[in-house]
Amino acid sequence: MTEQPLIPAPTTTPGSYLRVTDLRGTHLGWSELRAAVPRQAPSSVVDAEDAVRGIIEDVKARGADALRELARKFDGVDQERIRVAPEEIQRAVAALDPAVRHGLESAIERTRAFAAAQRPSDVTVEVAPGAALHHRWTPVRRAGLYIPGGLAVYPSSVVMNVVPAQAAGVESVVLCSPPQKEFGGLPHPVILGAAGLLGVDEVWAIGGAQSLAAMAHGVVDGEDVLEPVNTVTGPGNIFVAMAKRQLRSVVGVDAEAGTTEIAVLADDSADPRYVAADLISQAEHDPAAGSVLITDSPELAHAVEEQLSVQVSEAKHRERITTALGGPQSGVVLTDDLEASVAVADAYAAEHLEIHTRDASGVAARIRNAGAVFVGPYSPVPLGDYAAGSNHVLPTGGTAVFSSGLQAASFMKAVQVIEYSREALAALEEDIVALSASEDLPAHGRAVTLRGEDRGTGTDTVSGG
């Protein structure tokens, strides 16, 4: 029996914000590294799974009645009309602060440029004379986009969801965002304003997992009809991510973009002020947000802790930040060298990965798993959150090992088109017959030999291409 490597337990130093997992001197494989890095507590995932299943079934069975009850329960709102009237959207556009409007328009311009470039191209290959194969990309007909509310307001997420859908050529877009008690049961006016800037006129005041259930299954509320969508996208908390997981058999979903996380891969050349500020920037989102420092420099880790002591105390949301930094999803991972740090970063598979090392571009090129990689001291995550032109809807919870961030292709699907001439099919007749016989599916072969017989009798009904 092979002895299993011991995975070091994280330790906490009194007065420190971050727990430390010391991997120096260890030789852990891929699965051990995946288990060693900080993660959200498993119990919270199980709790979300059960709660979300009940919400989805309730919305599917009772529609608008269930949505109103959930709005009272989670948002403290008694809803009359759940869909937002188009005039409310236009009113919100007119009321946008000029500086905010300028920021949104700048983000829209850059995100559109990047999203248009990401759109995949069709491909045609002639594998033999008269034998053409086409790989054709088509947009989904209708997309449902979720914009979270809660502890913060995310008009930037409106841009990040709507722009790639439009770049893909989606015909119909519906946007859902939680009702806000302080705004009369409407979503936040800045979110409505951002939607209006992008030409979105179908917005529903629905939050959380129930919004994804509504978009996936559809809702009829009097004269208002939320038609089911083909794909749902958007960031959110663990309940939103779990809803996507449970709805995969009903609609297409993007990555499970749950509670935000950042990993900073740094060596002793990093500026501890920048590293601390960037860890705080994501911890500010949510008490469950993850902030992880991966470094081979204990001195840097100590300097970052000193900076956290200074910067957290000055932060507006210091209580929320302190909770996030002290949770099991956050911490410092100490490694032997840069090579080991890269291996840990790949195992963690961060939503956002910053590189603060010598030759940051070279190190970034070695990263396989991350939602987005931010290279060097002047590419912090907030740049991508708002204005870089990249998309901030990214895979979390280690799912970047198999998922990508939101892009135009997220709203598209590939169709394979096969076009053979009579002669090209004849060249494969013997192969097809042999293979179909080996699988005991002789009718497959007969569908081909029948056409061969027509060639000999002159009864061809369709000429070759």
Side-chain angles (χ1 to χ4, degrees):
M1 183 175 178
T2 304
E3 185 176 345
Q4 296 297 316
L6 292 176
I7 300 175
T11 59
T12 303
T13 302
S16 296
Y17 285 93
L18 297 169
R19 303 185 309 164
V20 176
T21 300
D22 192 346
L23 299 184
R24 292 174 297 175
T26 64
H27 301 282
L28 303 180
W30 170 257
S31 59
E32 288 82 24
L33 284 177
R34 292 276 283 177
V37 294
R39 292 285 184 211
Q40 194 169 48
S43 60
S44 60
V45 176
V46 174
D47 293 342
E49 185 174 10
D50 294 339
V52 167
R53 184 177 294 106
I55 288 172
I56 292 174
E57 290 303 317
D58 194 22
V59 172
K60 182 179 178 181
R62 299 194 300 122
D65 290 340
L67 294 175
R68 286 187 169 85
E69 286 184 17
L70 291 165
R72 280 193 293 272
K73 178 179 178 181
F74 293 122
D75 306 300
V77 171
D78 285 313
Q79 290 183 302
E80 294 182 6
R81 188 179 182 186
I82 303 176
R83 179 172 177 174
V84 178
E87 55 267 25
E88 293 288 356
I89 298 173
Q90 293 310 310
R91 189 175 294 118
V93 172
L96 280 171
D97 178 274
V100 173
R101 179 167 182 155
H102 183 272
L104 287 170
E105 290 172 339
S106 174
I108 290 168
E109 180 182 6
R110 295 188 181 208
T111 307
R112 274 185 174 151
F114 195 38
Q118 291 173 326
R119 184 180 169 125
S121 300
D122 294 349
V123 174
T124 295
V125 177
E126 190 175 53
V127 294
L133 301 175
H134 311 279
H135 192 73
R136 181 164 56 86
W137 287 92
T138 63
V140 300
R141 190 185 66 81
R142 180 164 163 82
L145 317 177
Y146 179 64
I147 310 302
L151 297 174
V153 182
Y154 297 103
S156 56
S157 288
V158 179
V159 176
M160 301 297 173
N161 280 269
V162 174
V163 168
Q166 292 176 336
V170 176
E171 297 174 20
S172 174
V173 169
V174 56
L175 186 150
C176 286
S177 191
Q180 307 285 322
K181 188 173 183 179
E182 58 269 43
F183 299 109
L186 295 173
H188 196 284
V190 180
I191 288 175
L192 294 179
L197 283 179
L198 287 158
V200 176
D201 60 5
E202 184 181 356
V203 179
W204 292 67
I206 314 172
Q210 57 269 33
S211 73
L212 274 70
M215 290 187 285
H217 292 294
V219 171
V220 176
D221 184 28
E223 295 183 357
D224 294 326
V225 178
L226 200 172
E227 183 185 353
V229 303
N230 307 118
T231 293
V232 293
T233 72
N237 59 21
I238 190 171
F239 296 94
V240 171
M242 183 58 64
K244 290 181 181 180
R245 186 178 301 180
Q246 295 183 13
L247 288 166
R248 281 182 183 273
S249 62
V250 180
V251 290
V253 302
D254 63 335
E256 292 181 15
T259 309
T260 192
E261 63 195 24
I262 179 177
V264 179
L265 193 165
D267 61 17
D268 60 3
S269 69
D271 188 323
R273 297 173 303 156
Y274 296 173
V275 174
D278 295 352
L279 294 173
I280 289 170
S281 73
Q282 297 309 294
E284 179 180 43
H285 275 281
D286 193 287
S291 295
V292 176
L293 170 61
I294 304 166
T295 183
D296 59 356
S297 172
E299 293 78 19
L300 174 70
H302 179 70
V304 169
E305 271 289 356
E306 289 183 334
Q307 279 298 314
L308 290 175
S309 301
V310 174
Q311 295 186 34
V312 172
S313 64
E314 298 172 347
K316 177 180 180 181
H317 302 297
R318 53 186 172 272
E319 183 176 344
R320 186 189 309 165
I321 292 166
T322 300
T323 301
L325 294 178
Q329 73 278 9
S330 299
V332 176
V333 180
L334 292 177
T335 66
D336 286 315
D337 51 33
L338 181 61
E339 188 74 23
S341 291
V342 169
V344 170
D346 264 343
Y348 182 65
E351 175 191 19
H352 310 98
L353 175 64
E354 290 188 357
I355 310 293
H356 292 244
T357 64
R358 298 175 183 83
D359 185 24
S361 295
V363 173
R366 296 165 59 188
I367 297 298
R368 178 187 297 269
N369 302 321
V373 181
F374 298 79
V375 184
Y378 302 108
S379 303
V381 169
L383 174 66
D385 281 344
Y386 295 113
S390 57
N391 203 291
H392 76 203
V393 183
L394 301 166
T396 62
T399 60
V401 296
F402 56 81
S403 292
S404 306
L406 197 64
Q407 55 191 291
S410 303
F411 298 94
M412 305 182 77
K413 53 191 176 60
V415 177
Q416 298 181 31
V417 181
I418 299 89
E419 187 177 4
Y420 268 54
S421 68
R422 179 177 57 195
E423 292 77 17
L425 176 63
L428 288 179
E429 181 175 315
E430 290 185 5
D431 291 340
I432 295 170
V433 169
L435 291 172
S436 68
S438 75
E439 296 185 353
D440 192 25
L441 297 170
H444 283 60
R446 180 58 181 155
V448 176
T449 58
L450 181 67
R451 288 165 168 80
E453 294 168 1
D454 284 347
R455 288 198 307 275
T457 62
T459 58
D460 304 49
T461 57
V462 181
S463 61

